[in-house]
Amino acid sequence: MSTATPATGFLDRQSLSYEVFEYDYGGGDGPIGLQAAEAIGWAPERVFKTLMVELDGKPACAVIPSDRSLSMKKIAKALKGKSAVMMAPVKAERLTGFHTGGISPFGQKKSVPTVFDDTILTVEAPVVINGGKRGLMVCLDPAPAIEALRTSVASISVE
């Protein structure tokens, strides 16, 4: 499998250090993030999933631990909006340039407001985030990655 994706290209252009993990993407039943965590043998709270939402009708991106759920109220508040809903998968794919199950916050076709759950700065580093392809994850230090995206962290998930 090629590890070159728009996401890894973004990380390379930002001179960010990362390691690539590949696994057999099964799709199927159950949360994809938890499947990825199990496949690579990492604790779910250190494996982050990327979710695309619509905030007051405009696209936004949320990155949360794979063992948590996104709070629509919290993401709306973090981005100073009124309401948020999950984006339809086909719309998320068209907007990001990635397939669902492989969406990364890095290297999306169109830059959108992005918020990382604040737990990303309290769990043991490094963390794992999707690398822009189903079955491809990148392991990296979260602080420089967040800085490179010029984004913020906030409490946006619930257990």
Side-chain angles (χ1 to χ4, degrees), residues 4 8 17 23-25 34 36 38 69 72 92 113 136 146:
T8 58
S17 177
Y23 69 97
D24 288 328
Y25 175 84
L34 292 177
E38 184 177 339
S69 298
M72 294 301 160
L136 180 76
I146 292 166

Side-chain angles (χ1 to χ4, degrees), residues 86-132:
M86 289 300 299
M87 186 178 287
V90 86
K91 190 172 185 178
E93 289 180 348
R94 188 172 49 248
L95 179 80
T96 64
F98 301 121
H99 292 291
T100 54
I103 294 177
S104 178
F106 312 115
Q108 293 185 6
K109 273 192 339 188
K110 182 179 179 188
S111 180
V112 300
T114 301
V115 178
F116 285 75
D117 190 69
D118 60 1
T119 59
I120 201 161
L121 298 177
T122 60
V123 296
E124 180 185 349
V127 298
V128 176
I129 301 173
N130 197 289

Side-chain angles (χ1 to χ4, degrees), residues 13-28:
R13 286 188 303 281
Q14 299 296 317
S15 299
L16 294 174
S17 177
Y18 63 94
E19 182 180 351
V20 172
F21 291 155
E22 294 180 88
Y23 69 97
D24 288 328
Y25 175 84

Side-chain angles (χ1 to χ4, degrees), residues 49 51 63-75 117-119 154-159:
K49 59 186 174 183
L51 303 172
V63 183
I64 66 171
S66 62
D67 63 346
R68 292 181 159 229
S69 298
L70 180 63
S71 166
M72 294 301 160
K73 287 183 181 185
K74 289 182 177 184
I75 186 73
D117 190 69
D118 60 1
T119 59
S155 175
I156 57 171
S157 70
V158 292
E159 291 184 44

